[in-house]
Each structure stands twice: as C-alpha cells, then as structure tokens.
Amino acid sequence: MTQEIEVKYRVLDEDALLAALRVRGVVLSAPVIQDDQAFAPVGWRYGMSKRGVPFGRLRTQEGRHLFTVKRPVSNELVCVEHETVVADREQMHGALLVMGCAPTVRIVKSRRVGSWGDATVCVDVVDGLG
C-alpha cells in the first residue's frame, strides 16, 4: 500500500514550464500514451464527497494494463493506493461492473515523467484539454 499526494496545475505556457523544470535539473522521459477509464461505486455522482470512497482505474500504457484503486483520505488528492498489473483489460472491466462499480470518465493523455528530489513530476497533455 502506498500513499499518493497529488498536486495538479493547468499550464498555459508549456514551453515556460519545461524551461523552468530544466533549470531545476528535471529531465523528462519520452512521452507515453495513457488510456485511463475511471470507475466509481454505483450511486456515487460528481459533486458528492470522494473522501473515504474507493475509486478504480484501468490504465493501458504501451500494451500493459494496470488496475488501481485509490481511496481519498483527507481530500481527493491525498489517497491510499493499491495497484497491480492485469492480463485482460476487458475482463477486469467486466469484473468491476459485477462488483458494483460504474464507469465514469475516460481520459487519454500523453505523459512525460521526471524526478525533482523525492517528488515525481508528470507533465501531461490531455486529449481535448491540452
């Protein structure tokens, strides 16, 4: 079990961000495409609290499928997280439906990753959002 603390920013000037990261010694990976399908318990709706509610995600990246469960602790960006590789995305999708989860949002993005001290830095370009 790990705990993840996310901080997200919308970036209006990607070139300025990349230059600032370079100055701080952050070297980003080559971009990879991530195809994420999020799941929530049946009955949960946007606008309801996420605190203490388990949310699932199926991610495909470079032909590999990952299943992740995140449960927000103090707010939606501080989560207890469990993650594992799954062999068959469609079978896992079906299992989540049987367990009472409903698909919510699907996000496809290009991600580059680097390190800054103990932190992981991700620069994402999200389809339809930038």
Side-chain angles (χ1 to χ4, degrees):
M1 177 178 65
T2 61
Q3 184 172 358
E4 173 184 73
I5 301 172
E6 291 184 320
V7 179
K8 297 181 181 186
Y9 299 96
R10 183 167 187 192
V11 175
L12 300 176
D13 187 342
E14 184 180 353
D15 291 335
L17 170 67
L18 296 177
L21 291 172
R22 274 193 303 276
V23 166
R24 286 160 181 81
V26 178
V27 177
L28 295 173
S29 67
V32 295
I33 302 300
Q34 294 180 336
D35 180 352
D36 294 348
Q37 175 64 62
F39 294 84
V42 169
W44 183 89
R45 300 284 179 260
Y46 285 102
M48 296 173 71
S49 174
K50 292 183 176 182
R51 195 169 167 192
V53 178
F55 294 90
R57 178 187 68 212
L58 278 174
R59 168 175 288 164
T60 299
Q61 176 180 316
E62 297 177 328
R64 185 174 176 214
H65 311 296
L66 294 171
F67 172 63
T68 306
V69 172
K70 295 184 179 188
R71 186 178 47 80
V73 181
S74 55
N75 66 57
E76 68 182 68
L77 299 178
V78 178
C79 299
V80 172
E81 181 176 308
H82 299 272
E83 184 170 81
T84 190
V85 174
V86 295
D88 188 317
R89 179 178 173 129
E90 292 307 314
Q91 286 296 314
M92 189 68 213
H93 180 100
L96 284 161
L97 298 178
V98 169
M99 289 187 292
C101 295
T104 57
V105 65
R106 188 156 190 176
I107 298 173
V108 178
K109 62 185 171 280
S110 171
R111 171 168 283 179
R112 292 177 284 170
V113 179
S115 295
W116 185 32
D118 291 336
T120 300
V121 177
C122 300
V123 177
D124 296 341
V125 177
V126 180
D127 285 4
L129 296 178

